[in-house]
Amino acid sequence: MARYLTVSAAQMGPIHRSDNRNDVVERLINLLRDAAAQNAELVAFPELALTTFFPRWVMPVEDADEFYETEMPNDYTQPLWDEAARLGVGFTLGYALKTEDNHRYNIYHMVDKRGQDVGIYRKVHIPGHQEYEPWREFQHAERRYFEPGDDFPVWNAFDAVVGMAICNDRRWSETYRVMGLRGVELIVIGYNTPLHYAPDPSQDALQGFHNALVAQSGAYQNGTFVVVVAKGGVEEGVDSLSDTLVVAPSGEILARSSTRADELVVADCDLDWCR
C-alpha cells in the first residue's frame, strides 16, 4: 500500500519593509487554509517568510533587530500555530532568530499537525558578504547577519523522514547527500534568490535553470522528494526568482508555480517511491 503525503509549497510574493507582521501572518494563514482545502498535510513556507529580505541592506547589526524573532511562536505568529492545529495541517516556516545569548541564525522551523514543534534547522551555507560593497546594485550581506549552522538533521514526521534546508544550501550536493545517507524521503527548501547575480551577471538568465537543476539532481541522486519554495517578485526594487517546485525521486518535476505572487503548488507524494 502506497504511503502518500500531500505537500503544498506556499510560494509568496514580495514582502516590503513597510509591511507589518500581522498582515504577513494573515497571508500565511490564508495560504494555509487554501492548502487544507486541497487536503495538504504539510505546507512549506519560504525562507524569511515574515519580513522583507533585509540582508540587501548593510546596517549595524543591532539596527536589524526588528527583522529577528526572539521566540517562536510569539504574539504575531501564534494565530498561525493555532490555525494549523485547528486544521490539522503541519508546516515549515523560515525566519530570522536572535537567541537569548545574542546568536543570530537563519532558521527553518517544522511544526506537526497538532501544532507541536518537530525540529529547527539552521542554515549552513551562508552566501554573500559582510561589509558594504559599493560596486553592487544592492547588497547581499547575509554573512553580516547570520552565523552558520553545522548539520543537516532529519526528523521522523508526517509518516516520513523529513529534512530541511535554506536557499544557498540547495546549490551544494553535500546538503542532499548528508540527509540522503540518513534515509531522507522529503527535503523542504525555502529560498529568496535575486535574479541578478552581481559577481557574474552572465548567470542572471540561468537562475531558473540552476534552481531546477540542483533540486532535480539532488532528488534523483538521493531517491527523495524535494520541495523548493520561493519568496519572489519585485521586493524593495530587487527582482527575485519565483520558481516553486515539487520534484520526485525520479528527478521529474511534479508541480511548479506559474505566478510571481502568493500561490500554492500542491503534489501527492508517494513516499514508497523513494525505495
Side-chain angles (χ1 to χ4, degrees), residues 15-271:
I15 299 174
H16 298 290
R17 192 167 187 172
S18 60
D19 293 338
N20 67 64
R21 277 179 176 75
N22 287 327
D23 291 339
V24 173
V25 170
E26 187 61 32
R27 287 168 62 182
L28 298 177
I29 290 173
N30 287 336
L31 286 164
L32 190 79
R33 289 171 177 161
D34 289 347
Q38 298 183 57
N39 299 314
E41 300 164 80
L42 171 60
V43 179
F45 295 112
E47 174 191 29
L48 298 179
L50 298 173
T51 68
T52 197
F53 186 78
F54 64 92
R56 68 172 59 95
W57 301 296
V58 168
M59 65 188 87
V61 174
E62 294 75 17
D63 290 353
D65 280 353
E66 64 179 291
F67 301 107
Y68 291 83
E69 314 304 319
T70 56
E71 59 180 346
M72 192 61 72
N74 52 38
D75 289 344
Y76 294 107
T77 57
Q78 188 64 55
L80 175 65
W81 258 251
D82 293 342
E83 185 67 1
R86 185 186 74 81
L87 293 169
V89 178
F91 62 89
T92 56
L93 179 70
Y95 57 89
L97 176 69
K98 178 183 175 183
T99 66
E100 289 185 1
D101 53 354
N102 204 34
H103 291 283
R104 297 169 187 263
Y105 298 106
N106 193 338
I107 292 292
Y108 221 167
H109 192 150
M110 189 188 308
V111 177
D112 70 15
K113 298 178 184 181
R114 301 166 298 161
Q116 302 298 309
D117 290 348
V118 174
I120 288 177
Y121 166 75
R122 298 180 299 178
K123 185 174 182 178
V124 170
H125 296 100
I126 308 296
H129 52 102
Q130 188 168 1
E131 301 301 329
Y132 180 74
E133 297 183 352
W135 57 271
R136 293 177 179 263
E137 293 180 24
F138 53 87
Q139 304 299 296
H140 200 107
E142 282 193 60
R143 294 184 183 183
R144 184 178 189 87
Y145 299 115
F146 298 121
E147 300 173 44
D150 60 5
D151 195 15
F152 292 99
V154 298
W155 293 269
N156 292 312
F158 306 97
D159 194 29
V161 181
V162 185
M164 297 182 281
I166 299 175
C167 199
N168 188 42
D169 289 326
R170 75 193 191 280
R171 303 184 184 276
W172 305 93
S173 59
E174 292 81 4
T175 297
Y176 306 91
R177 196 69 190 135
V178 171
M179 288 186 273
L181 290 169
R182 291 170 169 170
V184 76
E185 297 171 312
L186 172 68
I187 300 174
V188 180
I189 305 172
Y191 75 85
N192 287 249
T193 296
L195 290 176
H196 175 57
Y197 180 58
D200 180 11
S202 71
Q203 295 189 44
D204 291 2
L206 301 176
Q207 293 291 6
F209 167 71
H210 287 158
N211 181 58
L213 175 70
V214 293
Q216 291 178 270
S217 59
Y220 173 62
Q221 292 171 341
N222 295 282
T224 183
F225 288 91
V226 173
V227 176
V228 289
V229 55
K231 174 153 68 71
V234 180
E235 184 180 275
E236 295 295 334
V238 177
D239 202 358
S240 293
L241 184 67
S242 301
D243 190 23
T244 294
L245 308 171
V246 180
V247 183
S250 61
E252 298 168 277
I253 295 174
L254 299 181
R256 193 171 207 161
S257 60
S258 59
T259 75
R260 309 193 71 200
D262 291 10
E263 178 187 352
L264 290 176
V265 176
V266 181
D268 293 325
C269 301
D270 177 2
L271 298 170

